Amino acid sequence: MTESEVPTGKGGGRWGIGCTGVLALAVAGIAGLAYASVDSTYPDVDPEKRARQLSGDSRDAYAALGIDRTVEGGYVDADNHNTYDSNYCYPDGLFSISDPPVEGAYQLIHGWSIGNVDRAEALPALRRVRDHLKAEGWRITKFGKDEQLEEWSVEAERDGGFSTGVTWEAEFHRLGGGSGGPCAMDPDWSQEKKEPYESYGEPELNSFPPAMTPGG
């Protein structure tokens, strides 16, 4: 990839995650893709199972980058993290955001970031992950430089509302990405939860994501 390329167009205890968590900027687009469901009913999916699936997608993409660094699970700062986050889910998707969210529904996101990545390392890495995702059956929806920002990205989707991607931010020398999935119902959700906010979009997970390593 060159500068001229432009796209077409907490420990182990039980813990909750909120929609205000800090993730890599690339995940904002990923979350939007998976979040805009128009189905008013969501399938039951164990949050732990969905979390393993999404972190697995991210780890696979990260391994394809070919960068010799390990990203441990947890949050250090904006440049160094490997965490889960979540969004609310609404009865008719993104366009009914004025409606109350569906109780017991969640949309999970996995995000990661590493700092001190220069252009010479980042751009070839994005080419490698694009080629890998394409070979694995993902549909590449974006590859190249943002038309307005000094950012280079690869984004991909697959059937079922899943998405993944990686972005390099030139200003911060930061490489980050993540994976998102569609809305689902938490089978263990109960209307008897004491705190109202726990009924919306915040599944509880037992641990941080596993470490992301060069070998996957």
Side-chain angles (χ1 to χ4, degrees):
M1 188 184 303
T2 66
E3 293 183 19
S4 63
E5 288 182 321
V6 178
T8 56
K10 306 170 187 173
R14 204 163 173 80
W15 56 287
I17 50 179
C19 59
T20 57
V22 282
L23 295 178
L25 291 180
V27 183
I30 293 166
L33 291 171
Y35 179 68
S37 171
V38 294
D39 190 357
S40 60
T41 60
Y42 302 115
D44 287 347
V45 180
D46 176 32
E48 294 285 352
K49 179 179 179 180
R50 177 58 55 82
R52 289 192 298 270
Q53 181 178 7
L54 297 182
S55 63
D57 289 342
S58 294
R59 292 171 67 200
D60 182 63
Y62 184 82
L65 289 168
I67 293 178
D68 190 19
R69 293 166 64 177
T70 295
V71 189
E72 300 292 345
Y75 180 80
V76 177
D77 53 36
D79 287 346
N80 300 277
H81 63 266
N82 173 11
T83 55
Y84 296 119
D85 199 8
S86 63
N87 276 322
Y88 297 153
C89 295
Y90 292 85
D92 296 307
L94 189 64
F95 300 104
S96 63
I97 198 167
S98 60
D99 296 335
V102 176
E103 292 192 77
Y106 70 93
Q107 188 245 329
L108 198 63
I109 308 160
H110 173 258
W112 62 268
S113 180
I114 55 175
N116 299 316
V117 181
D118 61 25
R119 185 190 307 266
E121 186 176 26
L123 300 191
L126 290 176
R127 284 197 297 269
R128 288 191 291 269
V129 75
R130 175 204 59 184
D131 294 345
H132 174 75
L133 290 173
K134 186 175 181 180
E136 290 295 311
W138 291 83
R139 296 185 298 275
I140 305 302
T141 58
K142 178 179 180 181
F143 176 70
K145 184 180 182 298
D146 188 278
E147 295 177 347
Q148 297 179 332
L149 302 175
E150 286 293 303
E151 295 180 1
W152 283 257
S153 298
V154 56
E155 296 177 3
E157 300 176 1
R158 69 180 181 192
D159 293 343
F162 293 91
S163 50
T164 193
V166 182
T167 292
W168 181 68
E169 302 168 79
E171 180 181 359
F172 304 105
H173 294 271
R174 180 165 58 207
L175 190 67
S179 301
C183 287
M185 292 296 297
D186 182 350
D188 291 332
W189 170 78
S190 170
Q191 291 183 343
E192 297 178 356
K193 288 191 173 184
K194 295 180 180 179
E195 298 294 336
Y197 68 82
E198 290 183 333
S199 297
Y200 300 99
E202 298 185 3
E204 293 183 327
L205 301 173
N206 288 321
S207 62
F208 288 121
M212 301 173 63
T213 63

